[in-house]
Amino acid sequence: MNQFSKEYLVVAQNASGRNMKVPLYRFKGSKPGPKVYIQSSIHGAEVQGNVVIYHLIQTLKELPISGEITLVPNCNPVGTNIKAGEYTLGRFDPINGTNWNRGYYFDPQLVNQFAETVDEQESQASIKSRFRDAMKAQIDNRLNSTWGLGLAQQLNLKLQQLAFDADIVIDLHNGPVSTRHIYVPEYAKASASLFNIPHVILIPNVFAGALDEATFCHWWTLQEKLSSKYQKPVAFDVEAFTLEMGSQEVISFDEGKYDAVSILSYLNAKGCLVDADYQPKNMLRVAVTLDNYKILYTQQGGIVDYLAPPGSRVKQGEALARILNVDELENERATETIKAPCDLIPILHFPSASVLSGTQLYKCFTHYVTLTAGA
Amino acid sequence: MNQFSKEYLVVAQNASGRNMKVPLYRFKGSKPGPKVYIQSSIHGAEVQGNVVIYHLIQTLKELPISGEITLVPNCNPVGTNIKAGEYTLGRFDPINGTNWNRGYYFDPQLVNQFAETVDEQESQASIKSRFRDAMKAQIDNRLNSTWGLGLAQQLNLKLQQLAFDADIVIDLHNGPVSTRHIYVPEYAKASASLFNIPHVILIPNVFAGALDEATFCHWWTLQEKLSSKYQKPVAFDVEAFTLEMGSQEVISFDEGKYDAVSILSYLNAKGCLVDADYQPKNMLRVAVTLDNYKILYTQQGGIVDYLAPPGSRVKQGEALARILNVDELENERATETIKAPCDLIPILHFPSASVLSGTQLYKCFTHYVTLTAGA
Amino acid sequence: MNQFSKEYLVVAQNASGRNMKVPLYRFKGSKPGPKVYIQSSIHGAEVQGNVVIYHLIQTLKELPISGEITLVPNCNPVGTNIKAGEYTLGRFDPINGTNWNRGYYFDPQLVNQFAETVDEQESQASIKSRFRDAMKAQIDNRLNSTWGLGLAQQLNLKLQQLAFDADIVIDLHNGPVSTRHIYVPEYAKASASLFNIPHVILIPNVFAGALDEATFCHWWTLQEKLSSKYQKPVAFDVEAFTLEMGSQEVISFDEGKYDAVSILSYLNAKGCLVDADYQPKNMLRVAVTLDNYKILYTQQGGIVDYLAPPGSRVKQGEALARILNVDELENERATETIKAPCDLIPILHFPSASVLSGTQLYKCFTHYVTLTAGA
Amino acid sequence: MNQFSKEYLVVAQNASGRNMKVPLYRFKGSKPGPKVYIQSSIHGAEVQGNVVIYHLIQTLKELPISGEITLVPNCNPVGTNIKAGEYTLGRFDPINGTNWNRGYYFDPQLVNQFAETVDEQESQASIKSRFRDAMKAQIDNRLNSTWGLGLAQQLNLKLQQLAFDADIVIDLHNGPVSTRHIYVPEYAKASASLFNIPHVILIPNVFAGALDEATFCHWWTLQEKLSSKYQKPVAFDVEAFTLEMGSQEVISFDEGKYDAVSILSYLNAKGCLVDADYQPKNMLRVAVTLDNYKILYTQQGGIVDYLAPPGSRVKQGEALARILNVDELENERATETIKAPCDLIPILHFPSASVLSGTQLYKCFTHYVTLTAGA
């Protein structure tokens, strides 16, 4: 059976001077295989991933694996515990507004320099091992700099040191009010059909600060360097995903089982499980490129009835939302209808009816295509 | 037809020195009748009442009334506009924690003194008119005191001056995640069946700061004084209610129509409408006394799956909620089930999965009874 | 020498399910004497008391005491750790607005019932011991009630169980921007001159929820009951104070030494120290009754220059503050001066220049008198 | 005399659907001259700039100018009005954490394209006028895009459209607890000595989102393009500065006069005033390049006594701050001293004693040099 261990990583100290720590659950199979890293709740209000990890752990207590799986629930103990009113102010550091998911490290210079040190004869295993060491040394440097680092960045770098060891990185998130969707790097498009997630966003090799990018941008860039240097395809088989599993601020043990099974289907296809029969569902999946994943902002302030539920199909000109204007209730300006600027699928919407102008009302798939398994 | 007017009441100034104002919509019937006062959103995140008022205004543009109806949507422009994260921090003043619905005025001394001035021969109309004047003079005194008053209290008193003129006061609220319920003073129990609301809380003549209490406690106390003084029943036919119409942070135009019709049924029964056919629905209504409306607090912190939906019937010992403990995911302490301490109906629950110890998890009806129309 | 011990009291669990605990530092003298309880930072942003306790501990490591001194710094680990922007939102529970210093327990019924059980022959020591047991049993009941308790109340009651054992209770606070002042129960007025604090507020036997009141109201009420029952003065020599030692959000080790010495002077006079020479300073102290400690609220919103520093003497009509109105900068309404409504000493003012209408601008001593030592 | 006008710019709508607007005060001289744009309080808690503008307006009512001066106090009515606790949460949008001073527009592509259209014969006036039109058209495009824009960006772009017309842009800020300092683009280093500000940060032609950069990066880039294209120096004489005038959350009319005079000295030197005798003070000014303006982050959480006041000179190894650890008060870990990693001048420090690990404790000048007037 798998070998299990649990330990804690200190990621911060609070204003009482006390350590804030993150639990690391580890399962090691008796056979070799990929290393997997799964974390949840880097945004403190996005708690459903903790339930998914709970279900994964129940399964992994019984199911033999190849390789190693590290699970890190509640990976941001600061964000989880910032309440403002009844809700959790967990998307950003309440002190300075820094998004908790934007302080990971990516340095194309480092990749370039490292690529110089690779010899055509070097084995893939050796390259991966050396590159991981180089990265971790860099992160160590930053963590130990004389002048220190900001809280979000410290947290991110400590998690990244764990994650960069893995061949598969899965970061579990939720949207505000949201349907299931997944961010997939374009080179790993085929893997999108291994999850039971109907909405897929394909992202390019551009770093915007998140953990999935901080993982795959390094390997992707290194692949491209070496492929071009040796004029032959080089692939490191490292994949990283951000899974958005529904809405923030709620958990459901039932829904969590669905997502655990979805992840197990992917892991099975990747050779992480031994004699398991988890298979991806036969289902409709649609995909967009990142530039076709659009944010619709409000032009006006007011109180919103969100008419189009996440995951529905909306035609150009159909109503997305209806805004109430409390100062004009007796006349025709009492309500205003916001219409879809083109055919789209709303993926998520703002979680409060009360909005100022310039609020992210909806995020939408536009120009989406059906994804064919194995494409 | 009804005569319509709209004006604005300045209730505060913001930190830019600008007036914050509340819209007053007024319909005056051509025939005499009761005065009605309806306000919404004293708690800034409880926005559905604004939609109900929207529907009421649409109806009142067409439907002749007796007497006068004043509608005050968005009656707390401060609370509505305090965002903290994506949600609205609208239940209390973000500066000092003062609940926006606890600064209304009630002074039993004033009632006693006023009762002394009433003569057995004085007409009810005269007593009501003089009592209203006395109250408004008191409120004026407070609003104009040399040392000033706190923001919440200023807001409350300015609204109370409008409301105290009315024979019927309806304060529109929402719960966190909630089913419909209504607070009814015990003496007006018969009116509970005139609304289409399945859950009724009967409250005694005790002032806890809210608008409904600030209205009926005065009249109830005066009634009791005079009844006892003259040894005969005295009744002023003033009623006040707090309606909780579902969950905060969301609006629905469809649901709002239901509640508008419910209020119109009550108003019709009270003689406010002319030739209208709004009738209360034939439905099951259950009631509790206030001391049987219980709050269940958490003993532990963690992440909660709310298993019992608001409005459901739960037997003693059945599961209400299941809490995830992120530090114990591999063992039997991974989850804990919170059970109903007695037979109950959960009416509302906390709106976030993430809770500290001592959180109001559920508010529940216990020892509830079926309400018979006309009882 | 004194015997020292340290332990931790769990007062809450956070949303990660982790215990939040409070350190208890205890010094026990070799001789008998009063029991002393000192806590700090029940309001999370009022942190200077922690420094005072630091200095007291340094002294008590060397200075022999009679009796026992318990010191509880950082007694509210929830409040201390709620940041909102750069500041600490520590005065109230960010979830529901509950002031962290208003959930202590006082039940005049319990006192009355207990008074019935006292016999004229019973020794003071026996009465005190039995009364403490009765109180702690009551608090235990509440802490263990089936339906649970709110977070602030749980925290308060757990601290109160510790504090109620003491003969001397000192609760260390800070004002917003503030000069030193102290709340003293009227019956202990003579003790006011034993601290080196220039401003004294004398408070009556009325419970408003704070720890000092929750302590002395019980003993004071019991004294009065028994004095009246036996027609002779009964005194339990229990005293409780709230010390406000300057401004919130800052600490100073130098200022903390001053306040530590001030407390040691009081403790020395009360027989808590052995062979110590701490004496109260010869200084001017002024006092007001609680009803003469006035709050001045703003009538307008705007940006405030606080002209009168805390602790200064201001004559009626002199300027307290000047408010800027950003919409009228070119005309004579650009600024407005707020004047003292009577002769007064500003004790504290609001800590931000930006105010809405209805803000607590200043708290002021009016009709103050000079306090004579030993009066 | 100058011609005065006042108008309002709508920059947002709040959740009540009401317009939030910014006052524009304009003085037009009878003679031609530079256009000046001065705004304050883009960060809502940094309010002292409003006082400076108040003093400038008092002066400009009497003092003839050449050209035009537009003053925009309270330029962020959203940020000014977000209270969280007693303080103002004004540095970032409370909904999503977006810094209010990072959404201005800079597009090097646009500059490159525009440079192509410039002919060697074109007059500077014509180039400037055409470039301004091109920029404003771009900003218009963005403000009117189908999918809308975020609130902070809308606010920033509306202000930038006003500011881009000016030859001189001054953005008035405050630090947390801070001494006076100013950000100056390297090419305008000579102007640093025209203000009465002792600490100068010289910044390169790199855009990080702020208004000063959004102004000078465009002109600087264009200058460089054209200088290189025509192989001769081209200069547009546009300057932009961020002035940090002391601490946030407070105003002082006296201090504001000092800064108004400082700005008038600069404007006088730039030919904006007619027959005025405002001269820069003869004072010590020190400067650093941006990379030598260092942030010192805490490694630990705790309660901080800030020992080194902003503006003081601190030698390597000297104490900057002392942190109290409430769990170790009886032993040698009770306090920890944070020392200067090199010779430095602390410019500002965190405004609260309570800090988590990873807090920006101090920002410091290192490797600073004395600035010689006219250098």
Side-chain angles (χ1 to χ4, degrees):
Chain A
M1 232 331 129
N2 307 319
Q3 195 186 323
F4 172 73
S5 65
K6 180 164 74 171
E7 56 183 308
Y8 287 92
L9 176 72
V10 173
V11 293
Q13 274 193 338
N14 70 11
S16 305
R18 287 169 187 163
N19 286 338
M20 306 186 80
K21 55 195 188 167
V22 164
L24 313 180
Y25 294 86
R26 272 215 181 93
F27 292 88
K28 214 170 196 154
S30 46
K31 300 187 190 172
K35 280 195 175 179
V36 178
Y37 174 88
I38 302 177
Q39 75 176 25
S40 63
S41 291
I42 190 73
H43 289 142
E46 303 175 14
V47 282
Q48 175 68 2
N50 298 323
V51 177
V52 175
I53 286 180
Y54 162 76
H55 284 300
L56 289 172
I57 287 175
Q58 304 319 306
T59 302
L60 294 173
K61 282 161 72 177
E62 314 279 334
L63 180 69
I65 64 171
S66 304
E68 193 180 312
I69 301 180
T70 300
L71 304 115
V72 186
N74 193 34
C75 75
N76 179 358
V78 187
T80 301
N81 285 295
I82 297 292
K83 284 285 182 184
E86 295 153 309
Y87 302 92
T88 305
L89 194 64
R91 267 192 84 76
F92 51 83
D93 187 332
I95 294 171
N96 49 37
T98 308
N99 188 316
W100 293 115
N101 192 30
R102 294 292 180 276
Y104 297 98
Y105 169 69
F106 171 59
D107 185 356
Q109 295 284 40
L110 172 74
V111 184
N112 291 347
Q113 284 161 21
F114 179 81
E116 299 297 314
T117 72
V118 177
D119 184 87
E120 193 162 2
Q121 269 67 49
E122 187 171 3
S123 72
Q124 212 206 41
S126 164
I127 298 173
K128 287 176 80 169
S129 165
R130 285 203 307 114
F131 190 46
R132 283 176 170 138
D133 288 348
M135 266 294 290
K136 286 191 280 186
Q138 277 296 315
I139 295 178
D140 262 341
N141 270 353
R142 300 188 154 240
L143 282 170
N144 297 316
S145 74
T146 309
W147 292 84
L149 277 183
L151 176 55
Q153 212 179 345
Q154 283 189 40
L155 168 66
N156 286 172
L157 294 185
K158 284 176 185 174
L159 295 172
Q160 192 176 359
Q161 281 202 317
L162 293 172
F164 208 76
D165 260 342
D167 304 295
I168 291 169
V169 170
I170 299 179
D171 197 9
L172 299 176
H173 283 247
N174 293 90
V177 172
S178 178
T179 187
R180 280 187 182 86
H181 54 294
I182 183 170
Y183 289 86
V184 173
E186 281 170 1
Y187 72 80
K189 187 180 175 185
S191 292
S193 299
L194 302 174
F195 295 94
N196 300 329
I197 298 179
H199 307 100
V200 176
I201 302 143
L202 298 170
I203 45 178
N205 191 2
V206 173
F207 182 68
L211 177 63
D212 56 348
E213 298 158 343
T215 307
F216 68 66
C217 284
H218 282 105
W219 295 108
W220 193 343
T221 306
L222 185 60
Q223 279 175 186
E224 286 182 341
K225 285 278 151 203
L226 298 183
S227 298
S228 140
K229 188 172 169 186
Y230 302 123
Q231 295 294 313
K232 61 174 182 191
V234 175
F236 291 111
D237 294 326
V238 176
E239 298 192 344
F241 308 93
T242 296
L243 266 70
E244 309 263 352
M245 295 160 307
S247 304
Q248 69 194 16
E249 293 285 4
V250 292
I251 64 166
S252 158
F253 282 92
D254 290 347
E255 294 291 320
K257 198 164 272 176
Y258 177 97
D259 287 296
V261 166
S262 162
I263 289 169
L264 289 165
S265 302
Y266 167 77
L267 294 181
N268 199 19
K270 289 290 167 180
C272 303
L273 308 183
V274 178
D275 294 332
D277 56 358
Y278 292 95
Q279 300 296 337
K281 284 177 68 172
N282 194 348
M283 64 188 290
L284 180 65
R285 293 174 180 84
V286 297
V288 291
T289 52
L290 187 60
D291 56 326
N292 283 318
Y293 187 35
K294 294 279 200 189
I295 301 172
L296 182 68
Y297 294 93
T298 48
Q299 302 295 331
Q300 62 284 79
I303 310 172
V304 179
D305 189 353
Y306 297 90
L307 301 172
S312 63
R313 306 269 165 137
V314 179
K315 291 273 170 212
Q316 181 176 0
E318 287 180 354
L320 282 171
R322 191 173 171 202
I323 302 197
L324 184 73
N325 181 345
V326 289
D327 282 335
E328 308 288 349
L329 295 182
E330 87 285 8
N331 64 50
E332 76 285 352
R333 292 187 304 279
T335 74
E336 188 175 341
T337 300
I338 295 180
K339 292 176 180 158
C342 66
D343 289 5
L344 54 81
I345 302 174
I347 297 297
L348 57 86
H349 66 69
F350 194 67
S352 167
S354 297
V355 303
L356 286 83
S357 57
T359 294
Q360 287 198 13
L361 202 68
Y362 274 101
K363 289 187 79 172
C364 305
F365 274 22
T366 66
H367 306 291
Y368 49 87
V369 297
T370 300
L371 203 67
T372 323
Chain B
M1 229 335 125
N2 307 318
Q3 192 187 323
F4 171 75
S5 65
K6 181 164 73 170
E7 57 183 308
Y8 287 91
L9 175 72
V10 173
V11 292
Q13 273 191 341
N14 70 11
S16 305
R18 287 166 186 166
N19 286 339
M20 307 186 79
K21 57 195 186 167
V22 163
L24 314 181
Y25 294 85
R26 274 217 180 91
F27 292 88
K28 216 169 196 152
S30 46
K31 301 186 190 171
K35 281 197 175 179
V36 179
Y37 174 87
I38 302 177
Q39 75 176 23
S40 62
S41 291
I42 189 74
H43 288 144
E46 305 175 13
V47 281
Q48 175 67 2
N50 299 323
V51 177
V52 175
I53 287 179
Y54 162 76
H55 285 300
L56 289 172
I57 288 175
Q58 304 320 307
T59 302
L60 296 172
K61 284 161 71 177
E62 314 280 334
L63 180 69
I65 64 171
S66 305
E68 192 180 313
I69 301 180
T70 301
L71 304 113
V72 186
N74 192 34
C75 75
N76 180 358
V78 187
T80 300
N81 285 296
I82 296 292
K83 285 285 183 184
E86 294 153 311
Y87 302 92
T88 305
L89 193 65
R91 266 192 85 76
F92 50 83
D93 187 330
I95 294 172
N96 49 37
T98 308
N99 189 315
W100 293 114
N101 191 29
R102 295 292 179 278
Y104 297 98
Y105 169 69
F106 172 59
D107 185 355
Q109 294 284 40
L110 172 73
V111 185
N112 291 346
Q113 284 162 20
F114 179 83
E116 300 297 314
T117 72
V118 177
D119 185 87
E120 194 164 2
Q121 270 66 50
E122 185 171 2
S123 72
Q124 215 206 42
S126 163
I127 298 173
K128 288 178 80 169
S129 165
R130 284 203 307 114
F131 190 46
R132 283 177 169 138
D133 289 347
M135 266 293 291
K136 286 191 279 185
Q138 276 296 315
I139 294 177
D140 262 341
N141 270 352
R142 303 190 151 238
L143 283 170
N144 296 317
S145 74
T146 309
W147 292 85
L149 276 184
L151 176 55
Q153 211 178 346
Q154 282 189 40
L155 168 65
N156 286 173
L157 294 185
K158 284 176 185 172
L159 295 172
Q160 191 175 359
Q161 281 202 316
L162 294 173
F164 208 75
D165 259 343
D167 304 295
I168 291 169
V169 170
I170 299 179
D171 197 8
L172 299 176
H173 283 248
N174 292 89
V177 172
S178 179
T179 187
R180 279 187 182 87
H181 54 293
I182 182 170
Y183 289 87
V184 173
E186 282 170 1
Y187 72 80
K189 188 180 173 183
S191 292
S193 299
L194 302 174
F195 294 94
N196 299 329
I197 298 179
H199 307 100
V200 175
I201 302 144
L202 297 170
I203 45 177
N205 190 3
V206 174
F207 182 68
L211 177 63
D212 54 349
E213 298 158 343
T215 308
F216 69 66
C217 284
H218 281 104
W219 294 108
W220 195 344
T221 306
L222 185 59
Q223 279 175 188
E224 286 182 341
K225 284 281 151 202
L226 298 181
S227 299
S228 140
K229 188 172 170 186
Y230 302 123
Q231 295 294 313
K232 61 174 183 189
V234 175
F236 291 111
D237 293 327
V238 175
E239 298 192 343
F241 309 93
T242 295
L243 266 70
E244 308 264 352
M245 297 160 307
S247 304
Q248 68 193 15
E249 294 285 4
V250 292
I251 63 166
S252 158
F253 283 91
D254 289 347
E255 295 291 320
K257 197 164 273 177
Y258 177 97
D259 287 297
V261 166
S262 163
I263 290 168
L264 290 165
S265 302
Y266 167 77
L267 294 180
N268 199 20
K270 289 290 167 180
C272 304
L273 309 182
V274 178
D275 294 331
D277 57 359
Y278 292 95
Q279 298 297 334
K281 283 178 66 172
N282 194 348
M283 65 187 291
L284 180 66
R285 294 174 179 86
V286 296
V288 290
T289 52
L290 187 59
D291 56 327
N292 284 316
Y293 187 34
K294 294 281 200 187
I295 301 172
L296 182 69
Y297 294 93
T298 48
Q299 301 295 332
Q300 62 283 79
I303 310 172
V304 179
D305 189 353
Y306 296 90
L307 301 173
S312 63
R313 306 269 165 137
V314 179
K315 289 276 170 207
Q316 180 175 0
E318 288 181 354
L320 282 171
R322 193 175 169 200
I323 301 198
L324 185 74
N325 181 344
V326 289
D327 283 335
E328 309 288 349
L329 295 182
E330 87 285 9
N331 64 51
E332 74 286 353
R333 293 186 304 279
T335 73
E336 190 175 340
T337 301
I338 295 180
K339 291 173 181 162
C342 67
D343 291 5
L344 55 78
I345 302 173
I347 297 298
L348 57 86
H349 67 69
F350 195 68
S352 167
S354 297
V355 302
L356 285 85
S357 57
T359 295
Q360 288 198 13
L361 202 68
Y362 274 101
K363 289 186 81 173
C364 306
F365 274 23
T366 66
H367 306 292
Y368 49 87
V369 297
T370 300
L371 203 66
T372 323
Chain C
M1 229 335 126
N2 307 317
Q3 196 188 321
F4 172 73
S5 65
K6 181 165 73 171
E7 56 184 309
Y8 287 92
L9 175 72
V10 173
V11 293
Q13 274 192 339
N14 70 11
S16 305
R18 286 167 188 165
N19 286 339
M20 307 188 80
K21 56 194 188 168
V22 163
L24 314 180
Y25 294 86
R26 273 215 180 92
F27 292 89
K28 215 169 196 152
S30 45
K31 300 187 190 172
K35 281 195 175 180
V36 179
Y37 174 88
I38 302 177
Q39 74 176 25
S40 62
S41 291
I42 190 74
H43 288 143
E46 304 175 14
V47 281
Q48 175 68 0
N50 299 323
V51 177
V52 175
I53 287 180
Y54 162 76
H55 284 300
L56 289 172
I57 287 174
Q58 305 318 307
T59 302
L60 295 173
K61 283 161 72 177
E62 314 280 333
L63 180 69
I65 64 170
S66 304
E68 193 181 311
I69 301 180
T70 301
L71 304 114
V72 186
N74 192 35
C75 75
N76 180 358
V78 186
T80 301
N81 285 295
I82 297 291
K83 285 285 183 185
E86 295 153 311
Y87 302 92
T88 305
L89 194 64
R91 266 192 85 76
F92 51 82
D93 187 331
I95 294 172
N96 49 37
T98 308
N99 188 315
W100 293 114
N101 191 30
R102 294 292 180 276
Y104 297 98
Y105 169 70
F106 172 59
D107 185 356
Q109 295 284 39
L110 172 73
V111 184
N112 291 346
Q113 284 161 20
F114 179 81
E116 299 297 314
T117 72
V118 178
D119 185 86
E120 193 163 2
Q121 270 67 48
E122 187 171 1
S123 72
Q124 215 208 39
S126 164
I127 298 173
K128 287 176 79 169
S129 165
R130 286 204 305 116
F131 190 46
R132 282 176 172 140
D133 289 347
M135 266 294 291
K136 287 191 280 185
Q138 278 296 316
I139 294 178
D140 261 340
N141 270 352
R142 302 190 151 237
L143 282 170
N144 297 316
S145 73
T146 309
W147 292 84
L149 277 183
L151 176 54
Q153 212 179 345
Q154 282 188 40
L155 169 66
N156 285 173
L157 294 185
K158 284 176 185 173
L159 296 172
Q160 192 176 359
Q161 281 202 318
L162 294 172
F164 208 75
D165 260 343
D167 304 296
I168 291 169
V169 169
I170 299 179
D171 197 9
L172 299 175
H173 283 247
N174 292 90
V177 172
S178 178
T179 187
R180 279 187 184 86
H181 54 295
I182 182 170
Y183 289 86
V184 173
E186 281 170 0
Y187 72 80
K189 187 179 174 183
S191 292
S193 299
L194 302 174
F195 295 94
N196 299 329
I197 299 179
H199 307 99
V200 176
I201 301 143
L202 297 169
I203 45 177
N205 191 3
V206 174
F207 182 68
L211 177 63
D212 56 348
E213 298 158 343
T215 306
F216 68 65
C217 284
H218 281 105
W219 295 108
W220 194 342
T221 306
L222 185 60
Q223 279 176 185
E224 287 181 341
K225 285 279 152 201
L226 298 182
S227 298
S228 140
K229 188 172 169 186
Y230 303 123
Q231 296 294 312
K232 61 174 183 188
V234 175
F236 291 110
D237 293 327
V238 176
E239 298 192 344
F241 308 94
T242 295
L243 266 70
E244 308 264 352
M245 296 159 308
S247 303
Q248 68 193 17
E249 294 284 4
V250 292
I251 64 167
S252 158
F253 283 91
D254 290 348
E255 295 291 319
K257 197 164 272 175
Y258 177 97
D259 287 296
V261 166
S262 162
I263 290 169
L264 289 165
S265 302
Y266 167 78
L267 294 180
N268 200 19
K270 289 290 167 180
C272 303
L273 308 183
V274 178
D275 294 331
D277 57 358
Y278 292 95
Q279 299 296 335
K281 285 177 67 171
N282 194 350
M283 64 187 291
L284 180 65
R285 294 173 179 86
V286 297
V288 290
T289 52
L290 187 59
D291 56 326
N292 284 316
Y293 187 35
K294 295 280 200 189
I295 301 172
L296 182 69
Y297 294 92
T298 48
Q299 302 295 332
Q300 62 285 80
I303 309 172
V304 179
D305 189 354
Y306 297 89
L307 300 172
S312 63
R313 306 271 165 137
V314 179
K315 290 275 171 209
Q316 182 175 358
E318 287 181 356
L320 282 171
R322 192 175 171 200
I323 302 197
L324 185 73
N325 181 346
V326 289
D327 283 334
E328 309 287 349
L329 295 182
E330 88 284 9
N331 63 50
E332 76 286 351
R333 292 185 306 278
T335 74
E336 188 175 342
T337 300
I338 295 179
K339 291 175 181 160
C342 65
D343 289 6
L344 54 80
I345 303 174
I347 297 297
L348 57 85
H349 66 68
F350 195 67
S352 167
S354 297
V355 303
L356 286 84
S357 57
T359 294
Q360 286 199 14
L361 202 68
Y362 274 101
K363 289 186 80 172
C364 305
F365 274 23
T366 66
H367 306 292
Y368 49 88
V369 297
T370 300
L371 203 66
T372 323
Chain D
M1 228 335 123
N2 307 318
Q3 193 186 325
F4 170 74
S5 65
K6 181 164 73 170
E7 57 183 306
Y8 287 91
L9 175 71
V10 173
V11 292
Q13 273 192 339
N14 70 11
S16 305
R18 288 167 185 163
N19 286 340
M20 306 187 80
K21 56 194 187 168
V22 163
L24 314 181
Y25 294 87
R26 274 216 180 92
F27 292 89
K28 215 168 196 156
S30 46
K31 300 187 189 171
K35 281 196 174 178
V36 179
Y37 174 87
I38 302 177
Q39 75 176 25
S40 62
S41 291
I42 189 73
H43 287 144
E46 304 175 13
V47 281
Q48 176 67 3
N50 299 323
V51 177
V52 175
I53 287 180
Y54 162 76
H55 284 300
L56 288 172
I57 288 174
Q58 305 319 306
T59 302
L60 296 173
K61 283 161 72 178
E62 315 280 333
L63 180 69
I65 64 172
S66 304
E68 192 180 314
I69 301 180
T70 301
L71 304 115
V72 186
N74 192 34
C75 75
N76 179 358
V78 187
T80 301
N81 285 296
I82 297 291
K83 284 286 182 184
E86 293 153 311
Y87 302 92
T88 306
L89 193 65
R91 268 192 84 76
F92 50 83
D93 187 331
I95 293 172
N96 49 37
T98 308
N99 189 316
W100 293 114
N101 192 29
R102 294 292 180 277
Y104 297 98
Y105 169 69
F106 172 59
D107 186 356
Q109 294 284 41
L110 172 73
V111 184
N112 290 347
Q113 284 161 21
F114 179 83
E116 299 298 314
T117 70
V118 177
D119 185 87
E120 194 163 1
Q121 270 67 50
E122 186 171 4
S123 72
Q124 214 206 41
S126 164
I127 298 173
K128 287 177 81 169
S129 165
R130 284 204 306 113
F131 191 45
R132 284 177 170 137
D133 289 347
M135 265 294 290
K136 287 191 279 185
Q138 276 297 315
I139 294 177
D140 261 341
N141 270 351
R142 303 192 150 237
L143 283 170
N144 297 317
S145 74
T146 309
W147 292 85
L149 276 184
L151 175 55
Q153 212 179 346
Q154 283 188 40
L155 168 65
N156 286 172
L157 294 185
K158 284 176 185 173
L159 295 172
Q160 192 176 358
Q161 281 202 317
L162 294 173
F164 209 75
D165 259 343
D167 304 295
I168 291 170
V169 170
I170 299 179
D171 197 9
L172 298 176
H173 283 248
N174 293 89
V177 172
S178 178
T179 187
R180 279 186 182 86
H181 53 293
I182 183 170
Y183 289 86
V184 173
E186 282 169 2
Y187 71 80
K189 187 179 174 183
S191 292
S193 299
L194 302 174
F195 294 93
N196 300 329
I197 298 179
H199 308 99
V200 176
I201 302 144
L202 298 169
I203 45 177
N205 190 2
V206 174
F207 182 68
L211 176 63
D212 55 349
E213 298 158 343
T215 307
F216 68 67
C217 284
H218 281 106
W219 295 107
W220 195 342
T221 306
L222 184 60
Q223 278 175 186
E224 286 182 342
K225 286 279 151 204
L226 298 182
S227 299
S228 141
K229 187 172 171 186
Y230 302 123
Q231 295 294 312
K232 62 175 183 188
V234 174
F236 291 110
D237 293 328
V238 175
E239 298 192 345
F241 308 93
T242 296
L243 266 69
E244 308 263 352
M245 298 159 306
S247 304
Q248 69 194 15
E249 294 285 5
V250 292
I251 64 166
S252 158
F253 282 92
D254 290 347
E255 296 291 320
K257 197 164 273 177
Y258 177 97
D259 288 296
V261 167
S262 163
I263 290 169
L264 289 165
S265 302
Y266 166 77
L267 294 180
N268 199 19
K270 289 290 168 180
C272 304
L273 309 183
V274 178
D275 293 332
D277 56 359
Y278 291 94
Q279 298 298 334
K281 283 177 67 171
N282 193 348
M283 63 187 292
L284 180 65
R285 294 173 180 84
V286 296
V288 292
T289 52
L290 188 59
D291 55 327
N292 284 317
Y293 187 34
K294 294 280 199 188
I295 301 173
L296 182 69
Y297 294 93
T298 48
Q299 302 294 332
Q300 63 284 80
I303 310 172
V304 179
D305 188 354
Y306 297 89
L307 301 172
S312 62
R313 306 270 165 137
V314 179
K315 289 276 170 208
Q316 180 175 0
E318 287 180 354
L320 282 171
R322 194 174 168 201
I323 302 198
L324 184 73
N325 180 346
V326 289
D327 283 334
E328 309 287 348
L329 295 182
E330 86 287 7
N331 64 50
E332 74 285 353
R333 293 186 304 279
T335 74
E336 190 175 341
T337 301
I338 295 179
K339 293 174 179 160
C342 67
D343 290 5
L344 55 80
I345 301 173
I347 297 298
L348 56 86
H349 67 69
F350 194 68
S352 167
S354 298
V355 303
L356 285 84
S357 56
T359 295
Q360 288 199 13
L361 203 67
Y362 274 101
K363 289 187 80 171
C364 305
F365 274 23
T366 67
H367 307 289
Y368 49 86
V369 296
T370 299
L371 203 67
T372 323

